[in-house]
Amino acid sequence: MTAEQRRNLHAFGDYVRKTLDPTFILSYMAPWFRDDEVQHIQAEKNNKGPTEAASLFLQFLLELQEEGWFRGFLDALNQAGYSGLCEAIESWDFQKIEKLEEYRSLLRRLQPEFKTTINPKDILPEIAECLISQECEEILQICSSKGLMAGAEKMVECLLRSDKENWPKTLKLALEKEESRFSELWMVDKGAEDVKMKDLEDDEMKTCDVQIFYKEEPENQNLSQNSCSSSEAPHTYSPLKPRNYQLELALPAQNGKNTIICAPTGCGKTFVSLLICEHHLKKFPQGRKGKVVFFAIQLPVYEQQKSVFSKHFERLGYKVAGISGATSDTVCVEQIVENNDIIILTPQILVNCLTNGTIPSLSVFTLMIFDECHNTSKQHPYNVIMFNYLDRKLGGSSDSLPQVIGLTASVGVGDAKNKAEATEYICKLCASLDTSVIATVRDNLEELEEVVYKPQKFFRKVELRTTDRFKCIISQLMMEIESLAKSIFEELGTITLGGLFQIQNSNFGTQKYEQWIVKVQKECAVFQMPDKDKESRICKALFSYMSHLRIYNDALIINEHARMKDALDYLKDFFRNIRAAGFDEIEQDLTQRFEEKLQELESISIDPSNENPKLRDLCFILQEEYHLNPETRTILFVKTRALVDALKKWIKENPKLSFLKPSILTGRGKTNQNIGMTLPAQKCVLDTFRTDKDNKILITTSVADEGIDIAQCNLVILYEYVGNVIKMIQTRGRGRARGSKCFLLTANADLIDKEKMNMYKEEMMNGAILILQTWDEAVFKEKIHQIQIREKIIRDNQGKPEPVPDKKTKKLLCKKCKAFACYTADIRMVEKCHFTVVGDAFRERFVSKLHPKPKSFGNIEKRAKIYCARPDCSHDWGIYVRYKAFEMPFIKIESFVVEDIATGVQTVHAKWKDFNFEKLSFDAAEMAGGAQDLGLQGMGNLE
């Protein structure tokens, strides 16, 4: 089993817990589980039920280290009858099981009627294929020992755990065969796609009227006037009944006007966009069709919106599809746009298609909807799309242009100091989106305020530690490293690098210090000397020193905001990884210096007197709020991923707070030692937080700021976390429950002042919008037009011609040790975004190690990591892959310095697109011999 399979099984564990009764497969897992573990799982089911037993089973399963256990688990599922779950795990695609959730919700609601109406013995033969054989035996046994009603309850319990995608339809057929009156309530159309139910006269059932129920994914409450919670009703679609304020927001767009819809988080803006889309598509006469594109910036939001639009529009006969960066390589964008009525996109996809001509013009669309439209500025993909739109509009193109709709909780005010400047800023956003209407709720404010509760805002100024021995020790280590680096600069004499080393020690543990480290590293990368061996030695040493300074700086930031223990663990992980990689003399020396202080650091970190006062205050707030309301649901925002992990550990290990059972949500990218969360993992976290009432707190970074569907919370805590006015409104908007509170917890008085300034800017923004709404529409349009003309002139004057590729051959040198790697003439481009090196010589210059996370994407199978072959360097150069029939290295340009052979000038590039050289495409014929030989030798270097 691979590490990725283990991670995936952990990420999708909730599906296993909801579906599997582990006692049914324990006999097949005998080779893998000890007798005491089997007994423990059996006891857990007897005492707490199958879900808890499945949790324990999964825990034991993921701890297994023996070869073959994963295949054994899949075989056990198959043999026991869990074919649906087995199939989902094999493909890591749980959509079929996910689609059953709406039927489970319906059955839970109908359970009182089911148990008083159904004779389980009568329908069991018909639905047995949807259950496990042991479940059928248990149902019959309970019917005999406890009666039919208890048997019916057991049948419901088993159906709720069924992994068979056809069980809703099979149940329907069984009910019809028995002519059960329950069949009238269990209406399944089109196989197992739509579920509708009649109103029930029963008092217990009147509490939720599903006739107008609608669940919106990104803002999952407050969409209809009588909505049920997702645990009580399925995602049914009877005639939608929007609220009056939602109709008010949709009206200008439905009248064909380009509109920015500005309304609070949680009020159902996505539902408003559904109303607009449906109206738009239905208005076209026979023979003509509309085509809608909906843009979502973040991948989790993209996934949610695709699900919402699909559920809503496919029942109406419209085709919905989605394309994101994760799927664009495997689909034909042009074909998907042509064959569907509604396309959900991440905006960069359309930017790429307009650039390469795959989509020749925006005129293929009749409506464009920009989610979180306040991002339409500078070179953001939203703005690049609108540049194309405005160039056609202002250039007098005869092509018809699509209607434009923007959705946002806050248009922002930028750096505006007064209402007039705020008005100008908002006008500029309207010009960027070609909108002359800003729709806000004015006529139905009372109704809106009943739905969206503005949380109370509290500011809590906290104290720092009075003494910090941990910081003193780490700062001393950093000063020693600085001295080592300074000695190198002194060795260089009058060479200009010495001027870089002007920095005060008081900046340790700050973003400013981090910026200085990056500056030094960039300068080192292109530093040159006549003596190339000396140049290599100096650059490699400085590279190592800066890397260690950065990690120490990170640790000081963690120490300031969390526990010393967490900061120390962060350092210990780093030095553990250093030992596992190339461990040269400098790194040995720096590791020894750390280890000499380790015992003292360990002692300090566990000393109770060194507790962080910030955590004490945070603990007090949480205890107080959960004492006042034990059902409190909290979102805790922090600045960095390292802090997310540190605060989760602190809460779990704090006996006063461990009952909160924290979960975490972070972004997808990588930063230093932190690896981002995959999209399935993000979805799993959010689903668990919505459904598991024991999971009372979600710790997150800015990824939860915009658009992601987060359960209704009544407590938002901003832990040293302040942004601009848009960020403030959106994070506060996550506290949607009545009586919700929002705390800013900080030791920095300036942050409190900044947040108060944001509150003032919010008032200024609302005032500016009101002013614009009083303008005559023709005046507003003329103002927008003038801004557009001015901005186009600026844009055209700034436009640079495409650079001519530099055909001169250049060298690539290792960024760390300056060893020669290859010539640009030997580089080939694979699938427009990957770069390999041809020729036999390059294989001698790198070594390979098996990749810790091998995976496949498209035609590419990632197999190994490649490093500089110099034993005292081992700098990361990229990866080793299998591409179609070939094995080859893929190098990353940020790992190298580019040297002009003629002039000796050296440059560094963060991305391949920034490196202007003649990019020759990969040619299979050219690679036919060399790549396979290279692959065999390269893989022979695996350690």
Side-chain angles (χ1 to χ4, degrees):
M1 177 182 183
T2 66
E4 184 177 11
Q5 287 173 322
R6 192 182 294 272
R7 283 195 305 276
N8 284 345
L9 189 55
H10 185 272
F12 290 109
D14 270 359
Y15 291 107
V16 178
R17 295 182 191 96
K18 290 177 183 177
T19 306
L20 178 66
D21 183 331
T23 60
F24 297 155
I25 69 168
L26 285 177
S27 60
Y28 303 109
M29 295 295 293
W32 315 105
F33 283 3
R34 301 191 309 269
D35 289 344
D36 62 311
E37 290 174 331
V38 170
Q39 291 168 10
H40 194 171
I41 293 167
Q42 293 274 15
E44 195 77 356
K45 179 190 174 179
N46 295 338
N47 296 328
K48 298 181 180 178
T51 301
E52 292 299 323
S55 292
L56 184 62
F57 171 84
L58 202 57
Q59 176 188 326
F60 289 153
L61 191 69
L62 290 169
E63 289 171 355
L64 290 173
Q65 298 299 322
E66 293 90 338
E67 286 292 325
W69 69 261
F70 184 70
R71 186 68 254 172
F73 173 49
L74 293 179
D75 291 343
L77 290 176
N78 249 332
Q79 289 171 308
Y82 284 103
S83 54
L85 183 59
C86 181
E87 178 188 335
I89 294 174
E90 279 190 308
S91 61
W92 300 118
D93 182 354
F94 289 80
Q95 289 186 38
K96 290 179 181 177
I97 293 179
E98 179 69 27
K99 286 178 181 177
L100 294 173
E101 189 56 41
E102 56 186 335
Y103 304 111
R104 294 186 185 118
S105 298
L106 179 58
L107 187 56
R108 287 189 195 100
R109 184 178 172 188
L110 293 175
Q111 184 175 11
E113 185 73 7
F114 188 97
K115 71 179 184 182
T116 57
T117 307
I118 299 299
N119 181 337
K121 289 182 177 180
D122 291 342
I123 66 169
L124 185 58
E126 305 298 328
I127 66 168
E129 65 186 54
C130 301
L131 303 175
I132 305 299
S133 58
Q134 291 99 317
E135 289 176 328
C136 297
E137 293 169 10
E138 287 183 3
I139 291 168
L140 292 173
Q141 185 179 355
I142 290 173
C143 286
S144 300
S145 61
K146 296 183 179 180
L148 296 179
M149 199 174 291
E153 282 187 329
K154 181 64 180 179
M155 180 175 280
V156 169
E157 178 190 318
C158 296
L159 286 170
L160 290 175
R161 302 186 76 86
S162 176
D163 63 345
K164 309 303 185 293
E165 63 175 319
N166 64 329
W167 76 255
K169 181 66 176 177
T170 303
L171 176 60
K172 173 69 174 176
L173 294 173
L175 293 170
E176 288 176 345
K177 184 176 180 181
E178 293 299 319
E179 297 182 349
S180 167
R181 65 186 178 92
F182 188 85
S183 176
E184 297 175 10
L185 306 177
W186 188 257
M187 297 182 66
V188 183
D189 298 324
K190 293 185 291 184
E193 293 171 9
D194 285 335
V195 175
K196 299 178 182 177
M197 65 177 282
K198 292 187 174 184
D199 294 328
L200 300 178
E201 298 302 322
D202 181 308
D203 285 342
E204 182 179 356
M205 307 308 291
K206 285 185 179 178
T207 56
C208 274
D209 178 5
V210 296
Q211 181 186 2
I212 55 171
F213 175 77
Y214 174 79
K215 179 180 181 295
E216 178 192 23
E217 294 287 339
E219 295 166 352
N220 71 330
Q221 302 292 332
N222 313 322
L223 294 180
S224 60
Q225 294 196 329
N226 296 295
S227 60
C228 307
S229 71
S230 59
S231 64
E232 294 171 330
H235 305 174
T236 59
Y237 293 95
S238 295
L240 299 181
K241 189 175 179 183
R243 296 179 184 275
N244 291 326
Y245 74 76
Q246 292 170 329
L247 293 172
E248 181 184 350
L249 289 171
L251 186 60
Q254 289 178 334
N255 288 334
K257 295 177 180 178
N258 288 2
T259 307
I260 290 177
I261 296 171
C262 184
T265 300
C267 73
K269 289 188 292 296
T270 299
F271 183 42
V272 173
S273 72
L274 293 177
L275 298 175
I276 294 168
C277 278
E278 188 171 337
H279 180 274
H280 178 83
L281 292 170
K282 286 180 176 178
K283 77 177 183 180
F284 285 88
Q286 193 168 6
R288 291 185 59 206
K289 290 182 70 175
K291 192 174 293 288
V292 178
V293 59
F294 185 104
F295 299 110
I297 299 168
Q298 296 181 348
L299 268 175
V301 181
Y302 157 83
E303 290 286 349
Q304 290 170 182
Q305 302 293 41
K306 188 173 71 167
S307 173
V308 170
F309 274 75
S310 297
K311 288 176 182 175
H312 180 78
F313 283 103
E314 286 176 357
R315 73 189 175 95
L316 300 174
Y318 295 106
K319 294 179 180 178
V320 181
I323 315 170
S324 70
T327 60
S328 59
D329 289 342
T330 60
V331 298
C332 176
V333 178
E334 186 178 17
Q335 207 169 53
I336 285 180
V337 170
E338 184 179 338
N339 295 339
N340 289 276
D341 304 299
I342 301 168
I343 303 95
I344 315 298
L345 291 179
T346 47
Q348 189 62 45
I349 299 295
L350 184 55
V351 171
N352 296 343
C353 290
L354 291 170
T355 302
N356 62 31
T358 304
I359 295 177
S361 167
L362 291 174
S363 60
V364 301
F365 304 110
T366 57
L367 174 64
M368 297 194 300
I369 303 178
F370 294 82
D371 194 27
E372 312 297 353
C373 69
H374 52 265
N375 290 290
T376 313
S377 63
K378 300 178 182 176
Q379 291 301 312
H380 189 280
Y382 277 1
N383 222 17
V384 176
I385 291 167
M386 288 307 298
F387 289 162
N388 184 293
Y389 175 104
L390 292 169
D391 285 347
R392 290 178 181 275
K393 175 191 173 184
L394 300 174
S397 171
S398 59
D399 291 344
S400 59
L401 290 169
Q403 183 183 358
V404 178
I405 306 297
L407 307 174
T408 184
S410 169
V411 292
V413 295
D415 297 323
K417 303 293 189 296
N418 53 54
K419 206 171 285 186
E421 291 179 5
T423 303
E424 190 66 25
Y425 178 89
I426 296 169
C427 282
K428 191 171 179 181
L429 177 65
C430 290
S432 297
L433 286 162
D434 197 36
T435 56
S436 55
V437 177
I438 302 174
T440 59
V441 178
R442 291 187 284 172
D443 298 336
N444 297 281
L445 263 177
E446 287 186 11
E447 183 189 43
L448 175 65
E449 288 166 357
E450 282 297 308
V451 173
V452 180
Y453 313 113
K454 190 172 179 178
Q456 292 177 272
K457 195 69 178 279
F458 299 92
F459 301 100
R460 186 69 65 91
K461 174 76 167 61
V462 297
E463 300 303 319
L464 295 169
R465 296 181 180 95
T466 52
T467 59
D468 193 339
R469 179 64 184 148
F470 183 94
K471 183 175 182 179
C472 291
I473 294 172
I474 299 301
S475 297
Q476 181 59 44
L477 287 168
M478 293 175 78
M479 284 188 281
E480 290 176 13
I481 296 173
E482 282 190 348
S483 296
L484 292 169
K486 278 181 182 176
S487 67
I488 292 178
F489 287 131
E490 289 165 2
E491 181 183 341
L492 299 176
T494 59
I495 297 178
T496 55
L497 259 181
L500 279 174
F501 228 90
Q502 304 301 317
I503 190 160
Q504 298 176 350
N505 292 334
S506 59
N507 284 315
F508 290 156
T510 64
Q511 290 297 316
K512 185 177 179 182
Y513 192 84
E514 165 93 7
Q515 291 162 5
W516 171 80
I517 290 170
V518 172
K519 184 179 179 184
V520 173
Q521 287 181 323
K522 285 181 178 178
E523 293 292 335
C524 288
V526 296
F527 170 66
Q528 290 179 274
M529 295 179 70
D531 184 339
K532 293 302 175 184
D533 287 339
K534 187 174 183 181
E535 175 189 317
S536 174
R537 177 176 59 80
I538 286 173
C539 288
K540 186 166 66 69
L542 288 174
F543 193 98
S544 293
Y545 292 146
M546 293 303 116
S547 296
H548 282 71
L549 286 173
R550 173 180 280 179
I551 293 298
Y552 279 131
N553 194 64
D554 289 345
L556 287 180
I557 292 173
I558 297 170
N559 174 61
E560 181 182 346
H561 301 308
R563 298 177 299 182
M564 289 179 180
K565 174 183 180 296
D566 302 313
L568 183 58
D569 287 345
Y570 185 79
L571 289 173
K572 285 157 70 175
D573 284 345
F574 170 74
F575 282 103
R576 193 179 301 118
N577 292 332
I578 281 287
R579 283 185 173 279
F583 197 47
D584 62 24
E585 287 184 15
I586 289 176
E587 285 163 342
Q588 288 175 32
D589 174 50
L590 297 179
T591 301
Q592 184 179 343
R593 291 170 187 267
F594 170 72
E595 289 177 346
E596 285 172 357
K597 301 290 185 182
L598 184 55
Q599 189 173 349
E600 186 178 359
L601 289 170
E602 294 271 20
S603 176
I604 292 167
S605 69
I606 60 174
D607 185 343
S609 66
N610 289 322
E611 181 187 9
N612 195 328
K614 285 186 185 181
L615 295 181
R616 196 161 50 236
D617 276 48
L618 177 57
C619 181
F620 176 78
I621 289 172
L622 290 169
Q623 282 186 287
E624 186 177 58
E625 293 303 317
Y626 280 91
H627 175 72
L628 293 171
N629 179 8
E631 301 304 314
T632 290
R633 306 274 286 168
T634 304
I635 300 182
L636 174 60
F637 283 94
V638 299
K639 288 189 294 189
T640 67
R641 291 180 189 164
L643 275 178
V644 168
D645 293 331
L647 290 176
K648 179 185 178 182
K649 285 172 64 179
W650 169 68
I651 290 174
K652 289 180 76 173
E653 294 171 14
N654 188 325
K656 297 176 182 176
L657 300 175
S658 57
F659 72 95
L660 295 176
K661 296 186 178 177
S663 57
I664 64 173
L665 180 68
T666 63
R668 300 175 70 246
K670 297 180 181 180
T671 56
N672 294 352
Q673 289 173 267
N674 295 299
I675 297 172
M677 295 182 81
T678 63
L679 196 59
Q682 287 178 331
K683 185 178 185 300
C684 188
V685 166
L686 291 170
D687 288 345
T688 302
F689 189 61
R690 287 185 207 108
T691 57
D692 185 356
K693 297 304 180 186
D694 291 334
N695 183 199
K696 297 179 183 294
I697 185 168
L698 178 67
I699 311 169
T700 182
T701 56
S702 60
V703 70
D705 264 358
E706 295 188 3
I708 295 179
D709 177 11
I710 295 177
Q712 196 168 39
C713 292
N714 61 313
L715 180 61
V716 176
I717 300 176
L718 310 178
Y719 190 71
E720 297 285 4
Y721 183 95
V722 173
N724 54 28
V725 62
I726 293 168
K727 187 182 288 284
M728 183 200 77
I729 293 169
Q730 289 176 330
T731 52
R732 190 185 61 201
R734 296 294 155 214
R736 301 175 184 175
R738 190 186 294 273
S740 55
K741 299 176 183 178
C742 180
F743 285 88
L744 170 61
L745 194 67
T746 178
N748 187 346
D750 291 342
L751 283 187
I752 293 176
D753 292 339
K754 184 175 182 181
E755 190 72 350
K756 288 180 177 178
M757 176 58 72
N758 283 340
M759 295 171 74
Y760 165 71
K761 285 186 172 184
E762 182 185 1
E763 292 177 11
M764 191 163 63
M765 178 193 75
N766 291 333
I769 290 173
L770 286 173
I771 290 171
L772 290 171
Q773 288 172 332
T774 64
W775 285 14
D776 179 79
E777 191 171 339
V779 173
F780 198 176
K781 281 186 174 179
E782 180 58 28
K783 169 77 171 177
I784 296 305
H785 186 64
Q786 292 304 317
I787 293 174
Q788 289 172 344
I789 292 172
R790 186 178 72 235
E791 291 295 315
K792 178 167 171 54
I793 292 170
I794 295 171
R795 198 162 62 245
D796 289 346
N797 289 337
Q798 289 176 341
K800 298 176 183 177
E802 281 290 315
V804 178
D806 187 348
K807 296 186 178 182
K808 294 178 182 176
T809 298
K810 295 178 171 58
K811 292 179 184 178
L812 262 64
L813 311 177
C814 176
K815 193 173 184 179
K816 184 175 179 181
C817 72
K818 292 298 184 75
F820 173 73
C822 66
Y823 292 105
T824 51
D826 298 326
I827 295 174
R828 298 292 182 269
M829 182 168 60
V830 180
E831 294 192 352
K832 296 185 179 181
C833 56
H834 307 291
F835 292 82
T836 189
V837 182
V838 299
D840 294 338
F842 184 64
R843 67 186 179 193
E844 305 296 334
R845 300 186 184 115
F846 70 82
V847 293
S848 306
K849 292 184 180 179
L850 285 173
H851 202 290
K853 296 172 186 175
K855 64 179 289 188
S856 296
F857 46 100
N859 294 317
I860 297 164
E861 178 190 349
K862 183 165 50 173
R863 302 184 63 191
K865 295 278 292 177
I866 64 171
Y867 302 90
C868 176
R870 282 198 178 183
D872 59 346
C873 178
S874 300
H875 187 47
D876 181 357
W877 281 7
I879 59 175
Y880 200 86
V881 306
R882 182 174 182 83
Y883 174 66
K884 296 183 178 177
F886 306 103
E887 291 179 342
M888 62 181 71
F890 280 0
I891 60 173
K892 47 186 181 181
I893 190 61
E894 62 265 34
S895 296
F896 299 92
V897 174
V898 178
E899 180 175 293
D900 188 301
I901 295 175
T903 64
V905 172
Q906 293 184 347
T907 55
V908 291
H909 305 279
K911 297 179 180 178
W912 282 105
K913 68 178 183 180
D914 302 328
F915 181 20
N916 180 38
F917 73 108
E918 187 177 23
K919 299 178 174 75
L920 301 176
S921 294
F922 167 78
D923 184 346
E926 178 185 17
M927 300 289 286
Q932 287 175 332
D933 292 342
L934 172 62
L936 292 171
Q937 280 213 1
M939 295 310 287
N941 286 332
L942 291 174
E943 296 172 9

